[in-house]
Amino acid sequence: MKINPKVSVVIPTIGRESLINALESVLNQTYKNLEIIITDDTKDGKAKSKIEKYLSDEKIKYVINKKYTPGPTGNKNNGLDHITGEYFTILDDDDILIPNAIEELLNCVQKGNYEIVFANCLDNAKREFTGKHYGKSEEVFYKDLLCGKYEGEYVGLIKTSLLEGDRFNEECWGGESLLWMKLWKKTQKGFYLHK
């Protein structure tokens, strides 16, 4: 593994105002070897005008989804097609990352030589974790996911080579977990960071 691997952050968007907060949360990461792929799911490129001033930054790529069916899974697939990093994560355009999120996830990857590491998300209004968990950081196995030990919304870092061309099923609106399970099956174990 490289000492300072590139991490690709895919931000699927439909041009919502919250996109700026999501993008700035990535730009403000303590880990700097990043590429940011903003994939726009609007035919008229609605998001571009919102982020125009950021596009001079060479680590930001702006792409319009012309290849896949419009919707959450198709737009994410478009982003996956453009990643060049050794690891990747997906950040919806209405979410933000805390400043050291990628650094913390990558530290876990490197310490345990994991291909998938994930951490909890925090509901900003309720101030509570969005994912079901057992209150501690621990190794996670494919069977744990099959048995429902972890459910809900998380943020993860995944080794890009696991994709092997696999993509989200466009016919399954909101069924992103199908791809995640396929990737987990390939690696068998990862790590949950209780943060």
Coordinates of all heavy atoms in Angstrom, one line a residue, residues 59-90:
K59 N -7.9 19.4 -8.3 CA -8.4 18.1 -7.7 C -9.9 17.9 -7.9 O -10.4 16.9 -7.5 CB -7.9 18.0 -6.3 CG -8.5 18.9 -5.3 CD -8.1 18.5 -3.9 CE -7.6 19.8 -3.2 NZ -6.9 19.5 -2.0
I60 N -10.6 18.9 -8.4 CA -12.0 18.8 -8.6 C -12.4 18.5 -10.0 O -12.0 19.2 -10.9 CB -12.7 20.1 -8.1 CG1 -12.5 20.4 -6.6 CG2 -14.2 20.0 -8.4 CD1 -13.0 21.7 -6.1
K61 N -13.2 17.5 -10.2 CA -13.7 17.1 -11.5 C -15.2 17.3 -11.5 O -15.9 16.8 -10.5 CB -13.4 15.6 -11.8 CG -12.0 15.2 -12.0 CD -12.0 13.7 -12.3 CE -10.6 13.2 -12.3 NZ -10.6 11.7 -12.5
Y62 N -15.7 17.9 -12.5 CA -17.2 18.1 -12.6 C -17.6 17.3 -13.8 O -17.1 17.5 -14.9 CB -17.5 19.6 -12.8 CG -19.0 19.8 -13.1 CD1 -20.0 19.7 -12.2 CD2 -19.4 20.0 -14.4 CE1 -21.3 19.9 -12.5 CE2 -20.7 20.2 -14.8 CZ -21.7 20.1 -13.8 OH -23.0 20.3 -14.2
V63 N -18.6 16.3 -13.6 CA -19.0 15.5 -14.7 C -20.6 15.4 -14.7 O -21.2 15.4 -13.6 CB -18.4 14.1 -14.7 CG1 -16.9 14.1 -15.0 CG2 -18.7 13.4 -13.4
I64 N -21.2 15.4 -15.8 CA -22.6 15.3 -15.9 C -23.0 13.8 -16.2 O -22.3 13.2 -17.1 CB -23.2 16.2 -17.0 CG1 -23.0 17.7 -16.6 CG2 -24.7 16.0 -17.2 CD1 -23.4 18.7 -17.7
N65 N -24.0 13.3 -15.6 CA -24.4 11.9 -15.8 C -25.2 11.8 -17.1 O -26.4 12.2 -17.2 CB -25.3 11.4 -14.6 CG -25.8 10.0 -14.9 OD1 -25.2 9.3 -15.6 ND2 -26.9 9.7 -14.2
K66 N -24.5 11.4 -18.1 CA -25.2 11.2 -19.4 C -25.3 9.7 -19.8 O -26.0 9.3 -20.7 CB -24.4 11.9 -20.5 CG -24.4 13.4 -20.4 CD -23.5 14.0 -21.5 CE -23.5 15.5 -21.3 NZ -22.7 16.2 -22.3
K67 N -24.6 8.9 -19.0 CA -24.5 7.4 -19.4 C -25.5 6.6 -18.7 O -26.0 5.6 -19.2 CB -23.1 7.0 -19.0 CG -22.8 5.5 -19.3 CD -21.4 5.1 -18.9 CE -21.1 3.7 -19.1 NZ -19.7 3.3 -18.7
Y68 N -25.9 6.9 -17.4 CA -26.7 6.1 -16.6 C -28.1 6.7 -16.4 O -28.3 7.9 -16.6 CB -26.1 5.8 -15.2 CG -24.8 5.1 -15.3 CD1 -23.5 5.8 -15.3 CD2 -24.7 3.7 -15.4 CE1 -22.3 5.1 -15.4 CE2 -23.5 3.0 -15.4 CZ -22.3 3.7 -15.4 OH -21.1 3.1 -15.5
T69 N -29.0 5.8 -16.0 CA -30.4 6.2 -15.7 C -30.4 7.3 -14.6 O -29.7 7.1 -13.6 CB -31.3 5.0 -15.3 OG1 -31.2 4.0 -16.3 CG2 -32.7 5.4 -15.0
P70 N -31.1 8.4 -14.8 CA -31.1 9.4 -13.7 C -31.7 8.8 -12.4 O -32.5 8.0 -12.5 CB -32.1 10.5 -14.3 CG -32.1 10.3 -15.8 CD -31.9 8.8 -16.0
G71 N -31.1 9.3 -11.3 CA -31.5 8.8 -10.0 C -30.3 8.5 -9.2 O -29.1 8.6 -9.7
P72 N -30.5 8.2 -7.9 CA -29.3 8.1 -7.0 C -28.3 7.1 -7.4 O -27.1 7.4 -7.4 CB -30.0 7.7 -5.7 CG -31.4 8.1 -5.8 CD -31.7 8.0 -7.2
T73 N -28.7 5.9 -7.8 CA -27.8 4.9 -8.2 C -27.1 5.2 -9.5 O -25.8 5.0 -9.6 CB -28.4 3.5 -8.2 OG1 -29.6 3.6 -9.0 CG2 -28.8 3.0 -6.8
G74 N -27.8 5.6 -10.5 CA -27.2 5.9 -11.8 C -26.1 7.0 -11.7 O -25.1 7.0 -12.2
N75 N -26.5 8.1 -10.9 CA -25.6 9.2 -10.7 C -24.3 8.8 -10.0 O -23.2 9.2 -10.3 CB -26.3 10.3 -10.0 CG -25.6 11.7 -10.2 OD1 -24.9 11.9 -11.2 ND2 -25.7 12.6 -9.2
K76 N -24.5 7.9 -9.0 CA -23.3 7.4 -8.3 C -22.4 6.6 -9.2 O -21.2 6.6 -9.1 CB -23.7 6.6 -7.0 CG -24.2 7.5 -5.9 CD -24.8 6.8 -4.7 CE -25.4 7.7 -3.7 NZ -26.2 7.1 -2.7
N77 N -23.1 5.8 -10.0 CA -22.3 5.0 -11.0 C -21.4 5.9 -11.9 O -20.3 5.6 -12.2 CB -23.2 4.1 -11.9 CG -23.8 2.9 -11.1 OD1 -23.2 2.5 -10.1 ND2 -24.9 2.4 -11.6
N78 N -22.0 7.0 -12.3 CA -21.3 7.9 -13.1 C -20.0 8.4 -12.4 O -19.0 8.5 -13.0 CB -22.2 9.1 -13.5 CG -21.5 10.0 -14.5 OD1 -21.1 9.6 -15.6 ND2 -21.4 11.3 -14.1
G79 N -20.2 8.7 -11.1 CA -19.0 9.1 -10.3 C -18.0 8.0 -10.2 O -16.8 8.3 -10.3
L80 N -18.4 6.8 -10.0 CA -17.5 5.7 -9.9 C -16.7 5.5 -11.1 O -15.5 5.1 -11.1 CB -18.3 4.4 -9.6 CG -18.9 4.3 -8.2 CD1 -19.7 2.9 -8.1 CD2 -18.0 4.5 -7.0
D81 N -17.3 5.8 -12.3 CA -16.5 5.7 -13.6 C -15.3 6.6 -13.7 O -14.5 6.4 -14.5 CB -17.5 5.9 -14.7 CG -18.4 4.8 -15.0 OD1 -18.3 3.7 -14.4 OD2 -19.3 5.0 -15.9
H82 N -15.3 7.7 -12.9 CA -14.3 8.7 -13.0 C -13.2 8.7 -11.9 O -12.3 9.5 -11.9 CB -15.0 10.1 -13.1 CG -15.7 10.3 -14.3 ND1 -17.1 9.9 -14.5 CD2 -15.4 10.8 -15.5 CE1 -17.5 10.2 -15.7 NE2 -16.5 10.7 -16.3
I83 N -13.3 7.7 -11.0 CA -12.4 7.8 -9.9 C -11.0 7.2 -10.3 O -10.9 6.3 -11.1 CB -12.9 7.0 -8.6 CG1 -13.2 5.5 -8.9 CG2 -14.1 7.7 -8.0 CD1 -13.6 4.8 -7.7
T84 N -10.0 7.8 -9.8 CA -8.6 7.4 -10.1 C -7.8 7.1 -8.8 O -6.7 6.7 -8.8 CB -7.8 8.4 -10.9 OG1 -7.7 9.6 -10.1 CG2 -8.5 8.7 -12.2
G85 N -8.5 7.3 -7.6 CA -7.8 7.1 -6.4 C -7.7 5.6 -6.0 O -8.5 4.8 -6.5
E86 N -6.8 5.3 -5.1 CA -6.7 3.9 -4.6 C -7.8 3.5 -3.7 O -8.2 2.4 -3.6 CB -5.3 3.8 -3.9 CG -5.0 2.4 -3.5 CD -3.6 2.3 -2.9 OE1 -2.8 3.2 -2.9 OE2 -3.3 1.2 -2.3
Y87 N -8.4 4.5 -3.1 CA -9.6 4.3 -2.2 C -10.6 5.4 -2.6 O -10.3 6.4 -3.2 CB -9.2 4.5 -0.7 CG -8.3 3.5 -0.2 CD1 -6.9 3.6 -0.3 CD2 -8.8 2.3 0.3 CE1 -6.1 2.6 0.1 CE2 -7.9 1.3 0.7 CZ -6.6 1.5 0.6 OH -5.7 0.5 1.0
F88 N -11.9 5.1 -2.3 CA -13.0 6.0 -2.6 C -14.0 6.0 -1.5 O -14.1 5.1 -0.7 CB -13.6 5.7 -3.9 CG -14.6 4.5 -3.9 CD1 -15.9 4.7 -3.7 CD2 -14.1 3.3 -4.1 CE1 -16.8 3.6 -3.7 CE2 -15.0 2.2 -4.1 CZ -16.3 2.4 -3.9
T89 N -14.8 7.1 -1.4 CA -15.9 7.3 -0.6 C -17.0 8.0 -1.4 O -16.6 8.7 -2.4 CB -15.6 7.9 0.7 OG1 -16.7 7.9 1.6 CG2 -15.2 9.4 0.6
I90 N -18.2 8.0 -0.9 CA -19.3 8.7 -1.5 C -19.9 9.6 -0.5 O -20.2 9.1 0.6 CB -20.4 7.8 -2.2 CG1 -19.7 6.9 -3.3 CG2 -21.6 8.6 -2.7 CD1 -20.7 5.9 -3.9

